[in-house]
């Protein structure tokens, strides 16, 4: 984000935000703000973010469509949401491949459509996938 940008570190667990604050302090970073989310509301400022990156938490979100809508509300025009999830199946690290623990790309795409978003690009990582969403 450069020296003038702001990073919002968001989580629904206070303990995770405490850990982030300790690391930010240790690293001497002055441009990171933590935000405690509640349920499917990430508690991010409206229409201010260029990009949002959601890594390996999508399966834990209760109301995924509301979550994506709330993320989209935080974006500036032209902003993007990156969603990284473990690929379903037995390979690699990450959560067990039990039903619902790993979310298929098609499910995220369907949720995105319902939230008024579309897939702008995609990438296959070693054990994960990345979908970039936008309006």
């Amino acid at each position: 984000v450069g020296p003038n940008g702001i990073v919002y570190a968001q989580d629904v667990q206070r303990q995770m935000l405490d850990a982030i604050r300790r690391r930010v302090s240790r690293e001497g970073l002055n441009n990171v703000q933590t935000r405690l989310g509640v349920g499917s509301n990430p508690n991010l400022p409206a229409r201010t973010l260029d990009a949002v990156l959601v890594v390996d938490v999508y399966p834990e979100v209760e109301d995924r469509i509301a979550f994506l809508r709330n993320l989209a509300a935080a974006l500036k025009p032209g902003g993007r949401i990156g969603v990284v999830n473990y690929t379903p199946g037995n390979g690699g690290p990450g959560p067990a491949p039990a039903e619902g623990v790993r979310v298929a790309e098609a499910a995220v795409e369907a949720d995105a459509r319902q939230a008024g978003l579309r897939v702008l690009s995609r990438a296959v990582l070693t054990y994960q996938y990345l979908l970039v969403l936008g309006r």
Side-chain angles (χ1 to χ4, degrees):
V1 299
N4 297 321
I6 297 174
V7 172
Y8 292 95
Q10 186 276 338
D11 206 294
V12 295
Q13 298 177 31
R14 286 188 190 278
Q15 309 91 302
M16 298 304 288
L17 295 177
D18 290 343
I20 290 168
R21 285 186 202 100
R22 286 191 300 272
R23 182 165 182 193
V24 163
S25 176
R26 187 174 58 245
E27 299 289 332
L29 301 172
N30 298 315
N31 62 343
V32 178
Q33 296 181 18
T34 57
R35 292 291 181 120
L36 179 65
V38 178
S40 299
N41 182 356
N43 187 28
L44 295 170
R47 298 177 302 281
T48 58
L49 306 180
D50 295 306
V52 173
L53 181 60
V54 178
V55 180
D56 300 333
V57 298
Y58 200 77
E60 299 175 28
V61 175
E62 235 176 76
D63 185 341
R64 295 172 183 162
I65 296 164
F67 180 66
L68 291 174
R69 284 183 180 143
N70 286 327
L71 292 177
L75 295 176
K76 291 179 183 177
R80 303 286 184 255
I81 300 168
V83 178
V84 176
N85 284 319
Y86 282 98
T87 305
N90 293 322
E99 186 67 32
V101 178
R102 295 185 179 204
V103 179
E105 285 182 64
V108 178
E109 289 181 51
D111 292 346
R113 281 191 299 277
Q114 289 186 55
L117 299 165
R118 63 189 177 96
V119 175
L120 303 174
S121 65
R122 66 184 72 238
V124 177
L125 310 172
T126 304
Y127 299 108
Q128 298 161 298
Y129 60 86
L130 164 66
L131 295 177
V132 178
L133 310 175
R135 289 190 182 91

